[in-house]
Amino acid sequence: SKNPFVRAVQKFKARPSTYLMIPVVAAIVGWVTNWMAVQMIFYPVRFWGIPIFRRPEIPLALIGWQGIVPCKTRPMSEAMVHMVSTQLLSVKEVFNRLDPRRVAELLAPEVPKMTQEIMADLALPKIVQGIPGGVYKGMGAHSQNLLQSLNFEFLRKLTIAMQKNIDSIFNLNACVVNQMLQDRTLLGQLFKKCGQKELDFLTNSGLWFGFLLGLIQMVVALFWDNPWSLSIGGTIVGYATNWLALKWIFEPVNPTKVGPFILQGQFLRRQKEVAKEFSDFFANKILNSKELWNSMLTDPSTKPAFGALFGAHFSKFLHQISFGLLRYMPEPETTELVTRKALEKLPDHIGVLHDYVNTKLGLQESLRIRMEHMTSEQFERVLHPIFEEDELTLILAGAALGFAAGYVQQMLETGQIKVGPMWEKFVKALKSSVLGKKMALVLSAVKSSPIGTAGLKVKTSMKGLARKVRRQKKPEEKQPPDDSEVSSE
């Protein structure tokens, strides 16, 4: 018939299962391509492949791939730190929340312990190592109180000096970025914690986006005789499902009224929920007291400044003790050596501050409140960069996978692949395989077990009952005896 509608109906009636499979396969392709896109964002953590024509911080090489987030950890982390430092936190304001007196109270008992460790490190005779303790015990109550006061003042003034000079002794960017580079899964964990619902949506939306597009693909295949329509349709499905899902997550940025509906990107509608997750992760895993102190004491960009600040106050403390109480002025070389040793020992004693610092800084609450009050444009930049970095790569990868699936459909349509023979070969291969033999043994064991025997009896009884029903419906026809009659004879 020349009527295209009649021809389409005839084609469908001739091979209904083939055409009905098109939207089903398209749904599977949509899900698989979107799932693959999500995996490509985070995995592999290290480059997998042959590093030919590979450029720094570019996930795709000529032969190989590295997850977008682990590959671009540095620029993504720096962008995130810029967002935090310009819109959410003031480092100086946060550190000024610490009470210098409370810090001094917590650290004061650690100074005598540190002194003993320094004496031990200097490899002095044990009798000499015991001098500080013996001298302290031999002091009068007034001198002991004075020493404790000097110790307290040293720590209090050191804390105040740190607060005044925090910009030179602490580098927020280095603190965050160094952690992310040391463990390239960390940034991925943060993005997953904040955007898991969007990642799940990206994956699952491929199923119904793919099905809807597959219906269109099926109609095209019915009206267009070119078999390449399936391959082309598969490419469109793979491309469109990724593109649509990404657009749905982040657009429109601001609430937009369309008729009776108010539309806004999936991620942007969860601002309060994401703010809570982000602040919890960032405050407890990235900017906790342990990591803050570790950065100040080890980061090459801040360690010299902190060392100079600590050295100035500690040397003054030593002079006050030596000359004020012991009437003895140590040599400059001795002061420098002891100061250097004290700085080396400090990380082992700073742990007493962690609980207080974490509580007093209140980073989790500060981040949460300020993130909740971000504009939609600002908030969109929290998660969108991980998709933006290589959005086109993800979409084209979906298109490539879609083409492959469409090409398989095309080969089925043209008869180049026959499902029947392939299925028979698969079953035959399975039976002859080790797995198939194990399955046969399991089935045999089940049949010979009490459960299998009971099942066989039920099956026999059901057969007998069915024959009796047929005999009642057709009494004129002679029925063969049922199993129970045979057994009784």
Side-chain angles (χ1 to χ4, degrees):
S1 175
K2 292 183 179 181
N3 189 319
F5 292 98
V6 175
R7 287 178 58 235
V9 171
Q10 289 173 346
K11 285 175 68 177
F12 183 83
K13 286 182 176 180
R15 304 175 68 182
S17 59
T18 299
Y19 289 103
L20 288 174
M21 281 298 292
I22 291 176
V24 175
V25 172
I28 295 170
V29 169
W31 187 91
V32 170
T33 54
N34 286 21
W35 177 85
M36 184 66 72
V38 171
Q39 301 310 304
M40 289 171 70
I41 291 172
F42 301 104
Y43 304 106
V45 175
R46 297 188 180 278
F47 178 77
W48 186 88
I50 302 173
I52 302 174
F53 299 111
R54 189 178 180 223
R55 290 177 293 167
E57 297 181 347
I58 300 296
L60 182 64
L62 183 64
I63 305 174
W65 177 265
Q66 182 180 11
I68 294 172
V69 172
C71 179
K72 300 201 170 188
T73 293
R74 182 181 293 278
M76 285 186 175
S77 300
E78 289 175 346
M80 182 173 61
V81 172
H82 178 73
M83 180 268 293
V84 169
S85 61
T86 57
Q87 300 175 36
L88 301 180
L89 283 181
S90 164
V91 173
K92 197 172 189 67
E93 184 267 326
V94 166
F95 272 90
N96 281 337
R97 296 174 185 175
L98 297 176
D99 180 3
R101 298 184 65 84
R102 182 57 182 157
V103 172
E105 289 173 2
L106 292 169
L107 274 179
E110 298 300 310
V111 175
K113 299 176 187 177
M114 193 159 57
T115 303
Q116 289 298 121
E117 291 175 8
I118 292 170
M119 298 289 284
D121 278 3
L122 294 175
L124 298 173
K126 286 190 176 182
I127 188 170
V128 177
Q129 293 181 28
I131 288 177
V135 170
Y136 179 79
K137 291 178 182 178
M139 290 180 177
H142 175 73
S143 296
Q144 288 184 355
N145 289 336
L146 180 59
L147 181 59
Q148 291 174 4
S149 177
L150 290 173
N151 183 23
F152 180 87
E153 279 301 299
F154 151 64
L155 295 170
R156 186 183 71 82
K157 290 180 178 179
L158 174 63
T159 305
I160 293 173
M162 288 175 61
Q163 290 174 322
K164 289 180 178 178
N165 296 276
I166 194 63
D167 291 334
S168 62
I169 65 170
F170 177 70
N171 185 329
L172 178 63
N173 186 75
C175 177
V176 175
V177 174
N178 289 342
Q179 289 183 67
M180 298 297 185
L181 290 175
Q182 287 172 7
D183 180 3
R184 288 182 181 259
T185 66
L186 201 57
L187 186 60
Q189 292 174 31
L190 174 59
F191 285 138
K192 286 180 182 178
K193 189 175 179 66
C194 294
Q196 189 60 56
K197 289 187 178 180
E198 284 66 40
L199 294 170
D200 290 341
F201 171 80
L202 178 60
T203 301
N204 297 329
S205 64
L207 195 67
W208 44 276
F209 277 151
F211 184 80
L212 293 174
L213 291 167
L215 291 174
I216 299 172
Q217 189 183 2
M218 181 185 70
V219 173
V220 171
L222 286 169
F223 282 90
W224 190 22
D225 289 332
N226 191 331
W228 284 97
S229 64
L230 294 171
S231 298
I232 295 170
T235 305
I236 295 171
V237 168
Y239 182 97
T241 50
N242 284 13
W243 182 82
L244 283 170
L246 289 171
K247 292 296 180 185
W248 202 300
I249 290 173
F250 296 107
E251 294 183 18
V253 174
N254 293 302
T256 304
K257 191 170 184 180
V258 179
F261 304 103
I262 297 178
L263 303 179
Q264 190 179 22
Q266 292 269 352
F267 178 69
L268 298 156
R269 285 186 284 176
R270 295 198 309 114
Q271 186 162 344
K272 286 192 174 183
E273 184 181 343
V274 174
K276 181 178 181 301
E277 297 290 353
F278 180 90
S279 60
D280 175 64
F281 189 96
F282 210 74
N284 294 318
K285 290 198 173 183
I286 308 297
L287 291 184
N288 57 63
S289 177
K290 181 180 178 181
E291 298 299 342
L292 295 176
W293 280 101
N294 181 64
S295 180
M296 282 189 279
L297 296 171
T298 62
D299 177 24
S301 67
T302 59
K303 185 177 178 180
F306 182 85
L309 184 69
F310 178 85
H313 284 78
F314 191 74
S315 298
K316 185 178 179 181
F317 173 56
L318 285 179
H319 288 158
Q320 287 175 331
I321 295 174
S322 302
F323 187 73
L325 290 177
L326 305 178
R327 304 298 177 185
Y328 165 74
M329 181 63 71
E331 297 294 327
E333 294 80 6
T334 305
T335 301
E336 184 180 345
L337 176 62
V338 173
T339 301
R340 189 170 67 251
K341 287 290 182 182
L343 191 58
E344 291 174 4
K345 297 293 180 183
L346 184 59
D348 298 331
H349 297 271
I350 213 73
V352 294
L353 292 177
H354 291 336
D355 288 343
Y356 168 73
V357 171
N358 286 331
T359 303
K360 194 66 177 177
L361 294 185
L363 289 177
Q364 184 173 344
E365 189 69 6
S366 297
L367 287 169
R368 182 186 63 79
I369 292 173
R370 290 175 185 175
M371 184 171 275
E372 285 179 358
H373 289 86
M374 292 173 81
T375 65
S376 296
E377 289 84 357
Q378 292 171 333
F379 182 69
E380 184 254 0
R381 306 313 301 164
V382 175
L383 187 67
H384 201 176
I386 73 168
F387 297 101
E388 272 184 335
E389 285 290 339
D390 278 271
E391 187 172 306
L392 182 60
T393 304
L394 295 175
I395 292 173
L396 291 179
L401 289 169
F403 174 81
Y407 186 67
V408 172
Q409 284 182 292
Q410 175 182 320
M411 296 181 76
L412 288 169
E413 166 72 11
T414 57
Q416 292 175 274
I417 298 178
K418 295 187 182 297
V419 178
M422 286 180 63
W423 177 254
E424 291 174 4
K425 288 179 182 178
F426 172 75
V427 173
K428 187 176 180 181
L430 180 63
K431 286 182 177 180
S432 61
S433 67
V434 176
L435 179 62
K437 291 176 181 177
K438 287 184 177 180
M439 291 173 65
L441 288 173
V442 171
L443 289 172
S444 177
V446 169
K447 285 181 180 179
S448 61
S449 67
I451 296 174
T453 305
L456 185 60
K457 289 180 178 178
V458 170
K459 183 179 179 181
T460 303
S461 300
M462 292 300 292
K463 282 184 178 179
L465 182 60
R467 288 195 177 100
K468 288 178 181 178
V469 170
R470 287 198 299 271
R471 195 180 295 126
Q472 289 173 0
K473 287 183 178 180
K474 299 180 181 180
E476 70 279 359
E477 294 182 7
K478 186 177 180 180
Q479 300 290 338
D482 59 28
D483 295 344
S484 60
E485 290 172 352
V486 172
S487 60
S488 64
E489 289 175 3

